[in-house]
Amino acid sequence: MLQNYIKIAWRNLRKHKFYSFLNIFGLALGLASCLLITLYVLDELSFDKSFEHADRIHRVNADIRFGGADMALAVAPDPLAFTLKKDYPQIEQVVRLRENGSQLVRRSEGTENLKEDQVCFADSTFFKVFSLPLIMGDKEKALKDPYTVVISESNALKYFGKENPMGKGLIIDNDQTYTVTGVMQDIPAQSHLRDMNMLLSMSSNPESRLNGWGSHNFNTYLLLKEGVDPRQFEKNFETVLQKHTAKWLVSFMGASLDEIRKSGSYLRYSLIPLTEIHLHSDRTAEINVNGNIQYVYIFAVVALFLLTIACVNFMNLATARSSNRAKEVGVRKALGSERSSLVNQFLTESVMLSFFSLALAVALAYFALPLFNNLAGKQVKFPIGEVGFWITLLITGGVVGVLAGSYPAFFLSAFNPLKVLKNSVELQGKGGYLRNALVVFQFVISVMLIVGTGVIYRQLNFIQTKKLGFNKDQMLIVNDAYALDKQVTAFKEQVMRLPNVENATVTSFLPTPSSRTDNTFFPAGQMQQDKGISMQNWAVDYDFINTMGLQMANGRPFQEEFPSDSSGIIINEAAAKVLGYAEPIGKKIFGYADQKMKQRIDYTIIGVVKNFHFESLKKNIGALSLVLSRSNGTVVFKLNGGDVAQTVDQVEQLWKKMAPGQPFSYRFMDEDFNNVYRSEQRVGQIFITFATISIIIGCLGLFGLSAYTAERRTKEIGVRKVLGASVANIVALLSKEFLRLIIIAILIGIPIAWFGMNLWLNDFAYHVDLAWWMFLAAGAIAITIALLTVSFQSIKAALMNPVRSLRSE
């Protein structure tokens, strides 16, 4: 029987090649898109799950409100980890990580440096918490001694080739030699620790022994014992605050923890599971740029929408063409076929079509995966060798076939054979309402995706064009200026002589991702906790303000003719507002030079710069201060146009001359700025791609429906033409039904899109408004696309010679 079903299904698919193609290609597009997005979602959800005991590993987060600033930190004080380990038996092990940024690295016997983007200090307990295999070395001893280093397998190959790296030396930043005591397996790409290829022993870092409860710089991880409830354990943090942090507050500020809290300030610690860091954490001092669970939800819904649209197409075309198979059903029933046999027949056709579509979808997804990876910034691999993947695909194909074909199967098999054979059954009314509802549903989704794409594009354009308060164009950043050692100033001056270079500054602090440091300042006089202000504190030179294009709101910039500027400070308007100074110039404030808060430094405010965006536009502009100090992280050159490539080449030649053996690395500030919004840009690109695909799938269905409608009304069109109807009249007649459905879809889709996009924009402190014309434009686009799709078949039918359709009457 099954063989018979398959034969009839195959003949029917071959007989109606046009509609079979529309169904197969439309469903394949939906399945391929769904498959790609599913691979993306599964990749995002898999982060950090490969570690043994991942469910018991938690990171300590800190939330601080003090001095007019709210800080959500992914770091904790240096003594917290081992204090918790000593005092609480619920903890099996702890480890601290301290990012050391990008470093220049070379073999101890070598002369050429290579750049490592993420070098990190780690406690010797690292491998007890994170189950990362060591290819060489002893986990117990690898990071125990000072000035030892564990490198990744790829780094071992990079620096030592086929040599055994154990016991060999690596010089970090032309300064200290570290001995290789271990080679670890590369950290999986699906981990928030993924870029750590070089771990330095924490005992080499003096900062790790300061016992400073007020400074938060260490990513701290706890491995809880079996059965320990992390929510219950969090209650112990209050005891830690009262026992340790309170003492520090009294010695530093002369205020108790309760007094701090009464003023509205607070310090709170909490735990976040390791497996939730990538998608649920976006804090200051994250080890890596994390994902966003909202985008995972969005893409999952988009995948479901695309698959649903494709299934809707199948149901639409199947029910629309039901009249063509009515007599077939009538004859079969008259000859004794049971309804169950007819249902099985139509479901077999549907499942066959689904598997044809699935095969095409797998091919499309396989070849499109590299493009998708580039679009999404991922390294997703096609799981060809996984049996579970293929079983899931087969089950999906069968389920989609049954679900998509269920309504047509039960609808067609329910025809009364007597009425069908007498041509008295009203097929249009039975299937028309559902078909119309499905068309509306399709275009509701399309309208939502069009609106979403438009809003995201407009917000990204707003980010690109908004006046930020500083120069970001034509700004060349030369990295690793510390490699020049004492020749930094000479390098800066020589580059300044090039014709296309306008100005330059030496600093580690830039208004794009760069070094960051928060300090607490107090107005001159007695230190009071309710008078403190927490603000960014940047070390800059005399040329910083001019090179960056910052504008003075009051006072003056740093000037070499004023020796007193060494104790001067420039604040931004936000800091002046928090301090409550209407006239800040000449006012005195003080802060501390180190984490122990013992070396007090007094400053005099000499200027106020206008607010500029030194963080993401998702955040409000916070308090900022600038002080004169040496910070040789980068040299920034303001170019005045001309041949940029030639200028970069000239700068590189000067670098090689003054820093032989040191790698030349540069970037442009506008690229840094764009990287801040890379995830939003990718979401925008993905939205555009899948919105286009959804429209294509919808149009394929609309094209098939309009072709069927024109075919069904061929005689009516012939009569109307004979009676004098014009081509325009015929086109309007055939198009108005679909136009009405699209308008209904627009009226439903626009409010839903408005709600969703409003939620998305709320993530930005600075964003575009949802203007009415954006929704009007989305509706106009949907109507235009639908009319173009329908008009092709309508015009074709209207131009047909009426003699051909009426000659048998």
Side-chain angles (χ1 to χ4, degrees), residues 464-736:
Q464 293 290 335
T465 58
K466 179 174 172 57
K467 292 183 179 179
L468 303 171
F470 67 91
N471 293 328
K472 68 179 176 70
D473 299 320
Q474 298 289 319
M475 300 289 282
L476 173 65
I477 303 170
V478 176
N479 303 315
D480 310 317
Y482 49 80
L484 292 160
D485 199 14
K486 297 178 181 179
Q487 296 199 80
V488 173
T489 303
F491 174 74
K492 170 187 167 184
E493 291 173 352
Q494 287 200 36
V495 173
M496 283 280 292
R497 294 172 189 160
L498 298 176
N500 292 332
V501 178
E502 187 176 304
N503 216 325
T505 182
V506 180
T507 182
S508 296
F509 299 87
L510 303 172
T512 53
S514 63
S515 297
R516 289 287 187 266
T517 177
D518 283 283
N519 283 339
T520 301
F521 292 85
F522 298 87
Q526 186 177 2
M527 180 170 57
Q528 299 177 25
Q529 54 87 15
D530 59 339
K531 299 293 184 182
I533 171 175
S534 178
M535 59 179 167
Q536 291 277 313
N537 186 225
W538 294 7
V540 301
D541 63 8
Y542 289 103
D543 300 308
F544 182 85
I545 289 176
N546 190 29
T547 304
M548 292 294 166
L550 305 183
Q551 301 296 314
M552 299 300 300
N554 201 352
R556 60 175 179 81
F558 296 116
Q559 294 175 350
E560 293 186 59
E561 53 265 35
F562 293 96
S564 60
D565 279 4
S566 59
S567 61
I569 191 169
I570 296 173
I571 61 175
N572 68 349
E573 293 172 311
K577 183 177 180 180
V578 175
L579 285 166
Y581 290 154
E583 295 293 335
I585 305 303
K587 297 287 196 305
K588 294 185 181 296
I589 60 175
F590 69 91
Y592 290 86
D594 58 20
Q595 293 183 32
K596 292 185 177 181
M597 311 298 180
K598 292 183 178 179
Q599 186 182 344
R600 170 172 164 165
I601 302 178
D602 292 282
Y603 297 98
T604 301
I605 299 174
I606 65 169
V608 179
V609 294
K610 290 184 178 180
N611 284 338
F612 63 96
H613 292 277
F614 56 89
E615 299 283 7
S616 163
L617 291 179
K618 292 183 176 181
K619 300 178 181 179
N620 288 308
I621 298 174
L624 171 73
S625 62
L626 308 175
V627 295
L628 272 179
S629 185
R630 190 177 182 86
S631 181
N632 295 346
T634 62
V635 188
V636 184
F637 299 102
K638 175 71 175 81
L639 308 184
N640 56 16
D643 190 334
V644 175
Q646 182 183 22
T647 302
V648 171
D649 186 61
Q650 292 170 332
V651 173
E652 183 176 6
Q653 296 307 313
L654 286 170
W655 173 277
K656 290 180 177 178
K657 179 181 176 182
M658 303 181 74
Q662 311 299 333
F664 176 71
S665 172
Y666 72 93
R667 63 190 195 271
F668 288 93
M669 191 174 290
D670 55 352
E671 295 173 358
D672 271 6
F673 178 79
N674 290 337
N675 286 336
V676 175
Y677 308 99
R678 185 67 65 202
S679 62
E680 283 76 19
Q681 290 170 344
R682 284 174 177 151
V683 168
Q685 292 170 339
I686 291 172
F687 244 85
I688 291 171
T689 301
F690 289 114
T692 303
I693 291 174
S694 77
I695 291 168
I696 290 172
I697 295 172
C699 287
L700 285 173
L702 207 57
F703 186 81
L705 286 177
S706 61
Y708 168 72
T709 301
E711 179 184 318
R712 184 172 55 82
R713 301 177 71 174
T714 300
K715 287 185 172 59
E716 178 190 345
I717 293 169
V719 170
R720 288 179 178 274
K721 290 196 72 174
V722 168
L723 295 176
S726 65
V727 172
N729 295 142
I730 301 299
V731 172
L733 174 72
L734 296 176
S735 301
K736 67 179 182 181

